[in-house]
């Protein structure tokens, strides 16, 4: 279940306008890799990485504060006013804090389908561009089995089954197929170009709208 945390800061926060590239995909499709490739262009000064909070354990190779902010489950209820949305996803808490988004940058981050739908429904001040990463099932299974030293096979199977339910009627703006590294990496500049152009057009529109007041 995904929840929106309506706090005393909500009214002021909703007056601001944000652009967000929301990356999503089933387990082991390459979401983190795609995000990392996008962020290689962060020297443009346009991109801001949205770092989520989570109560799930840190995986091998992850860095606290860079990949996620790893916290205890009680942190979410004790700091509810910080979050624009939070979610219980496969037994772990995930959340997006208000201060993780920048009004002056193109924000990029990874979200679940239900998290994206919640932002669409409750926050019209966030302009969303949704990118779904897809990959062949056999590749996803192989990655799931090899990305950790001691994989939990029962959990891998559970994630694969739940993914089919979560993404059944999901409709992204763009789909990137991770069926080969060359194809996958070649898609990054194109998506980034579309996202930045949309961001700049949106900023121009807001500026012109403000000047007419």
């Amino acid at each position: 279940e995904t929840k929106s945390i309506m706090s005393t800061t909500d009214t002021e926060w909703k007056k601001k306008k944000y652009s967000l590239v929301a990356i999503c995909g089933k387990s082991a499709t390459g979401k983190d890799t795609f995000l990392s490739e996008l962020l290689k262009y962060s020297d443009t000064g346009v991109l801001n990485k949205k770092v989520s909070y989570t109560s799930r354990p840190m995986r091998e190779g992850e860095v606290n504060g860079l990949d996620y902010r790893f916290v205890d489950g009680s942190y979410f209820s004790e700091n509810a006013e910080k979050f624009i949305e939070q979610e219980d996803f496969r037994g772990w808490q995930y959340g997006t804090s208000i201060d993780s988004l920048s009004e002056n940058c193109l924000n990029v981050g990874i979200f679940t389908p239900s998290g994206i739908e919640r932002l669409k429904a409750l926050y019209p001040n966030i302009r969303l561009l949704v990118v779904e990463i897809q990959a062949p099932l056999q590749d996803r299974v192989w990655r799931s089995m090899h990305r950790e030293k001691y994989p939990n096979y029962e959990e891998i199977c559970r994630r694969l089954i739940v993914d089919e339910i979560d993404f059944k009627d999901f409709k992204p703006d763009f789909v990137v197929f991770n069926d080969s590294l060359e194809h996958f990496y070649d898609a990054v500049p194109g998506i980034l170009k579309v996202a930045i152009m949309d961001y700049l057009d949106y900023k121009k529109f807001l500026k012109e709208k403000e000047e007419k007041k």
Side-chain angles (χ1 to χ4, degrees):
E1 179 185 1
T2 306
K3 298 182 291 183
S4 173
I5 306 300
M6 309 301 289
S7 71
T8 55
T9 62
D10 229 39
T11 302
E12 180 181 349
W13 183 83
K14 283 187 174 182
K15 292 179 182 178
K16 298 180 179 181
K17 305 295 182 182
Y18 299 88
S19 291
L20 172 63
V21 177
I23 301 166
C24 67
K26 297 176 181 177
S27 58
T29 51
K31 300 182 293 295
D32 291 304
T33 300
F34 189 82
L35 176 59
S36 296
E37 287 299 307
L38 275 181
L39 291 171
K40 287 182 179 179
Y41 296 86
S42 60
D43 58 355
T44 60
V46 177
L47 301 180
N48 172 60
K49 181 184 179 183
K50 187 272 300 182
V51 181
S52 297
Y53 286 79
T54 182
S55 63
R56 76 159 171 78
M58 192 185 307
R59 293 173 182 160
E60 293 179 29
E62 289 183 325
V63 178
N64 189 21
L66 181 62
D67 298 293
Y68 288 92
R69 291 186 174 91
F70 296 94
V71 296
D72 186 84
S74 61
Y75 183 88
F76 290 90
S77 58
E78 294 171 357
N79 297 274
E81 72 283 354
K82 292 186 61 169
F83 295 97
I84 55 173
E85 62 91 25
Q86 70 180 62
E87 178 178 6
D88 186 332
F89 189 67
R90 296 170 184 163
W92 307 110
Q93 291 290 316
Y94 290 81
T96 301
S97 66
I98 294 173
D99 56 9
S100 68
L101 300 181
S102 171
E103 192 177 13
N104 300 312
C105 292
L106 174 60
N107 300 281
V108 294
I110 296 173
F111 288 83
T112 63
S114 55
I116 290 172
E117 293 305 316
R118 180 63 61 173
L119 291 177
K120 285 182 177 180
L122 294 179
Y123 297 101
N125 61 322
I126 299 179
R127 185 177 180 85
L128 282 171
L129 186 71
V130 182
V131 180
E132 181 184 353
I133 312 300
Q134 296 183 359
L137 178 60
Q138 62 269 25
D139 292 351
R140 295 173 52 216
V141 172
W142 190 91
R143 290 179 195 136
S144 297
M145 293 174 62
H146 291 85
R147 67 183 177 186
E148 295 181 0
K149 188 175 182 179
Y150 301 105
N152 184 330
Y153 297 110
E154 182 177 345
E155 175 60 18
I156 290 172
C157 291
R158 187 180 74 86
R159 286 203 304 263
L160 292 172
I161 293 171
V162 172
D163 277 337
E164 296 307 308
I165 299 172
D166 291 343
F167 283 85
K168 183 179 179 181
D169 299 311
F170 188 68
K171 294 180 175 61
D173 297 305
F174 295 94
V175 174
V176 174
F177 292 98
N178 187 6
D179 51 359
S180 72
L181 285 178
E182 183 179 2
H183 189 184
F184 189 52
Y185 291 145
D186 284 349
V188 174
I191 292 293
L192 183 63
K193 181 178 179 180
V194 170
I196 290 179
M197 289 179 64
D198 181 76
Y199 164 72
L200 294 175
D201 286 345
Y202 184 50
K203 296 294 286 185
K204 181 180 178 181
F205 166 76
L206 292 175
K207 182 179 179 180
E208 291 175 350
K209 184 178 179 181
E210 185 67 25
E211 290 174 348
K212 291 180 180 178
K213 288 184 179 180

